[in-house]
Amino acid sequence: MMSTPIEIEALRLSLQVASLSTLLSLPFAMAIAWLLSRRQFPGKLILDALVHAPLVLPPVVIGYLLLITLGTRAPLGHWLKETLGIQLIFTTGGAVLAAAVMSFPLMVRAIRLALDAVDRGLEVTARTLGATRLDVFLTVTVPLMLPGIFSGCLLAFAAGLGEFGATMIFASNIAGETRTLPLAIYTATQTPDGDLAALRLVGLAMLLALVALLLAAWIEGRMLGWLGRR
Amino acid sequence: MIDIAIKKSIAGFELQAEFTVPATGVTAIFGRSGAGKTSLVNSIAGLVRPDAGHIRIDDRVFFDHEAGINLPIEARGVGYVFQDSRLFPHLSVRGNLTYGRRRTRRPLRITDDAVIEVLGLAALLARKPHHLSGGERQRVALGRALLAQPRLLLLDEPLASLDAPRKAEVLPYIERLVEEFKLPALYVSHAIDELTRLADHVVIINDGLTVACGSLTEIMSKPEYAPLIGRFEAGAVLECTVHAHDPSFQMTNLAFADGYLQVPLIDLPPGTPIRARLRARDVAISLSNPNELSITNRLFGTVQSMTVREATYVDVAIALGHTTVRALITRESASRLKLAAGVKVWALIKAVALDSRAVGFNRRIRADDISVT
């Protein structure tokens, strides 16, 4: 399969957007998962629903909501641009944010399940051995959650690679800036004689998925073996 | 001093524990399952917060409701060994062992090498917990708790999840570490043989209430605690030393405060302190010293008290002088012999009844054991 600069560009951008959005989501997803799994507080149900909203709402709606809150004419977006010099619409940053929001519920779910499965007895044991709560979290809870954190990241990464609707509305379709693989495929299909280009991009996307899945299965196997769960 | 007086209600269950025992040696927390033993130990470790009262270990206040003191778990310095070993699956045996040691601020009195030696862990260090047998896991858990340099060891039925051969494998290690590291320990159990081998003091807990507290020999000599200990297992415990061996008949003679006991050969040098548990049901009573009888162990004493048990039986406490033994006989026999407090009798014990299973041989060599009578 021959690759032209357009395809390489789309691939690079997709990998960049998906990995940045995953990294950006991770600390927040950990915090939200911890709140949902371990804490009881008023409004927990609302938080849970809010986190899951991107899963049930059409991506276009999420894109639109991002646009009306973070667009340059919206107060928050305006403030971001004026004081911090950050513009999200029409930029890779916007694509990252759209992908992060869309994949957030998937990541939270995986991490929350992993946290639910952590044996509280082990955490208590660590405390009897002199570890503070934070120490226990870092040296017992997180290591035991690693397979879950990893699969959460993988899901978020995959969702980031495939994100289309929200990115299209919020970050727009700009070559080299926000045109990731799915947007490039869409663009190709809208171009006269673009069928071959679209097919090549589709092939690339499928190859990427295959490599990612194999790699993920291997890493997950190693982790489970390390924890003695296999 | 381990000074505990707490109240706690957990989902309708009332725990009311009150006792003081010396902060040396092993104190057994004995009672049926569901009696509140684990809740008591959890309160000491800080896993459960009592509703009222106090927990003090020597000059250290763990909990005081009135004063508003509740030390966090990690500040209490208790080594807690759970029924299920609770090893960290992501760490090797070595990583598990050193987890607490790397975090303690107390002086490192107990060294890695000593723990590895006493618990026989040298060959296991590089392994992951899931590659260990149940007995090995429990040994690692013991070592991990010890290396955290605890002021107090809490052992919550550490053998309960093991099968009989594994129990027999781990128990000597517990005996060794108690002897070696001289840590005060609370040992939760409902197995009387473990108690006989390990405990210096006993706290009996029943339906959430601490009903008795005292030295092992004292508690075991009193018939009133028999229903809590179990009809077949209850009986006096005598602190003995190995006196002499008779190789031709493969017998051993044990000396105790009021005489001697003949038992099947015990392979320990003369002078070794040992505990013999004389189950009351293995002891018979005679008004005279019978001549034509196979039983060699005949202890002369005075009936001290008689406690009727389940309408059919009488638990007879016989004072020998310094020690007391107990005999469980039928009420019919007691009436035939016209037994009553003050009557002079011979307590007869078959040597065969004192085999290594029925007798809790305490192999610890400790000066304070010998002085106990």
Side-chain angles (χ1 to χ4, degrees):
Chain A
M1 185 167 59
M2 284 283 292
S3 291
T4 63
I6 296 165
E7 283 138 12
I8 296 297
E9 185 65 24
L11 179 66
R12 184 194 62 78
L13 204 56
S14 278
L15 291 173
Q16 189 189 347
V17 166
S19 40
L20 282 178
S21 70
T22 303
L23 286 177
L24 178 74
S25 300
L26 187 57
F28 298 101
M30 290 281 285
I32 299 283
W34 189 78
L35 280 178
L36 292 177
S37 171
R38 293 291 174 86
R39 290 277 140 168
Q40 294 302 326
F41 54 92
K44 183 172 170 174
L45 223 59
I46 294 170
L47 180 68
D48 202 6
L50 220 58
V51 165
H52 283 88
L55 212 57
V56 289
L57 285 172
V60 176
V61 171
I62 299 297
Y64 185 71
L65 288 173
L66 285 171
L67 191 64
I68 59 170
T69 46
L70 295 167
T72 40
R73 260 175 278 162
L76 186 58
H78 183 75
W79 178 84
L80 273 177
K81 190 173 181 186
E82 288 306 305
T83 48
L84 300 175
I86 297 172
Q87 183 186 324
L88 290 170
I89 52 166
F90 311 136
T91 63
T92 308
V96 168
L97 184 67
V101 171
M102 287 309 295
S103 58
F104 195 66
L106 296 170
M107 190 185 259
V108 170
R109 282 179 80 89
I111 293 177
R112 182 184 174 175
L113 281 177
L115 193 52
D116 285 344
V118 169
D119 181 356
R120 305 293 290 268
L122 290 175
E123 296 178 326
V124 165
T125 306
R127 292 196 67 201
T128 68
L129 292 165
T132 59
R133 284 176 193 277
L134 180 66
D135 191 357
V136 171
F137 182 73
L138 295 176
T139 61
V140 176
T141 316
V142 169
L144 294 179
M145 287 167 68
L146 273 184
I149 293 174
F150 175 73
S151 64
C153 287
L154 182 74
L155 276 170
F157 183 79
L161 281 179
E163 215 305 300
F164 180 78
T167 311
M168 193 75 168
I169 300 288
F170 179 56
S172 192
N173 184 2
I174 300 163
E177 197 64 52
T178 68
R179 190 174 291 164
T180 55
L181 272 177
L183 273 75
I185 293 169
Y186 168 77
T187 310
T189 59
Q190 299 298 305
T191 315
D193 306 325
D195 287 355
L196 196 63
L199 209 59
R200 278 208 296 267
L201 285 162
V202 166
L204 200 57
M206 287 167 72
L207 188 69
L208 187 63
L210 187 70
V211 170
L213 280 177
L214 288 176
L215 197 66
W218 181 74
I219 294 175
E220 199 155 13
R222 292 291 299 260
M223 277 186 188
L224 291 177
W226 175 67
L227 289 174
R229 295 206 199 124
R230 209 179 57 158
Chain B
M1 244 357 183
I2 298 172
D3 174 9
I4 288 163
I6 51 166
K7 276 186 192 173
K8 173 77 187 173
S9 64
I10 310 161
F13 177 79
E14 289 285 329
L15 172 69
Q16 197 168 342
E18 199 171 344
F19 63 91
T20 51
V21 288
T24 53
V26 178
T27 299
I29 310 285
F30 183 82
R32 297 195 185 94
S33 38
K37 305 188 293 292
T38 299
S39 300
L40 170 62
V41 183
N42 280 345
S43 303
I44 298 169
L47 276 50
V48 166
R49 189 196 171 118
D51 302 327
H54 65 258
I55 298 169
R56 297 189 201 110
I57 313 294
D58 289 329
D59 53 350
R60 195 97 186 163
V61 180
F62 281 7
F63 175 81
D64 192 321
H65 183 71
E66 241 94 278
I69 296 170
N70 185 30
L71 236 52
I73 303 169
E74 63 269 21
R76 295 193 181 202
V78 294
Y80 200 151
V81 178
F82 299 87
Q83 237 181 72
D84 47 336
S85 55
R86 298 199 187 177
L87 298 183
F88 303 126
H90 58 298
L91 299 179
S92 65
V93 167
R94 187 187 291 280
N96 269 283
L97 283 175
T98 56
Y99 189 91
R101 193 256 285 143
R102 283 182 271 128
R103 285 165 174 79
T104 186
R105 267 175 253 124
R106 287 179 292 281
L108 299 179
R109 196 170 65 82
I110 299 171
T111 63
D112 291 19
D113 288 346
V115 164
I116 290 166
E117 209 275 310
V118 169
L119 292 169
L121 300 174
L124 310 176
L125 292 175
R127 286 203 220 157
K128 278 301 199 59
H130 49 275
H131 290 130
L132 300 177
S133 72
E136 288 168 338
R137 270 201 284 272
Q138 216 48 329
R139 273 152 58 197
V140 175
L142 286 163
R144 181 177 62 176
L146 285 168
L147 280 174
Q149 317 294 325
R151 343 185 131 77
L152 173 70
L153 211 50
L154 301 177
L155 306 162
D156 187 6
E157 307 207 34
L159 304 179
S161 63
L162 304 177
D163 56 18
R166 296 288 91 70
K167 272 190 182 119
E169 170 203 323
V170 178
L171 192 56
Y173 286 104
I174 298 179
E175 289 180 310
R176 275 194 74 188
L177 71 88
V178 165
E179 176 196 333
E180 195 80 20
F181 300 114
K182 306 260 186 295
L183 274 174
L186 292 185
Y187 188 96
V188 172
S189 181
H190 61 243
I192 196 81
D193 52 332
E194 292 170 25
L195 194 131
T196 313
R197 280 175 68 154
L198 291 168
D200 301 302
H201 294 90
V202 180
V203 173
I204 299 181
I205 180 164
N206 190 38
D207 287 335
L209 270 169
T210 45
V211 291
C213 165
S215 74
L216 175 76
T217 41
E218 182 192 333
I219 296 282
M220 295 300 277
S221 69
K222 289 187 176 157
E224 61 258 45
Y225 301 131
L228 301 170
I229 287 163
R231 189 215 302 165
F232 293 111
E233 295 301 328
V237 170
L238 301 180
E239 301 282 356
C240 311
T241 52
V242 174
H243 180 64
H245 299 296
D246 179 354
S248 57
F249 285 110
Q250 293 284 296
M251 297 294 283
T252 292
N253 201 275
L254 302 179
F256 71 105
D258 294 304
Y260 299 93
L261 282 175
Q262 286 268 79
V263 300
L265 189 74
I266 302 165
D267 194 13
L268 287 172
T272 308
I274 236 176
R275 261 179 195 158
R277 180 160 56 94
L278 274 52
R279 294 189 296 194
R281 64 162 180 158
D282 291 332
V283 180
I285 290 176
S286 170
L287 291 175
S288 60
N289 188 0
N291 287 321
E292 294 177 320
L293 194 67
S294 70
I295 300 174
T296 48
N297 291 313
R298 303 161 187 200
L299 306 171
F300 184 65
T302 312
V303 174
Q304 200 175 36
S305 68
M306 296 176 54
T307 314
V308 175
R309 185 94 54 233
E310 295 161 51
T312 309
Y313 307 98
V314 185
D315 196 328
V316 185
I318 303 156
L320 304 177
H322 299 284
T323 51
T324 302
V325 296
R326 285 163 47 199
L328 187 69
I329 60 175
T330 59
R331 208 150 55 84
E332 190 268 332
S333 298
S335 138
R336 192 156 34 78
L337 297 180
K338 298 190 175 60
L339 288 184
V343 174
K344 305 285 185 202
V345 295
W346 294 86
L348 310 176
I349 309 113
K350 285 181 74 170
V352 171
L354 298 173
D355 64 8
S356 62
R357 204 167 48 81
V359 177
F361 288 117
N362 184 300
R363 296 182 181 191
R364 283 186 286 144
I365 300 163
R366 289 172 33 153
D368 55 325
D369 273 350
I370 303 165
S371 63
V372 175
T373 49

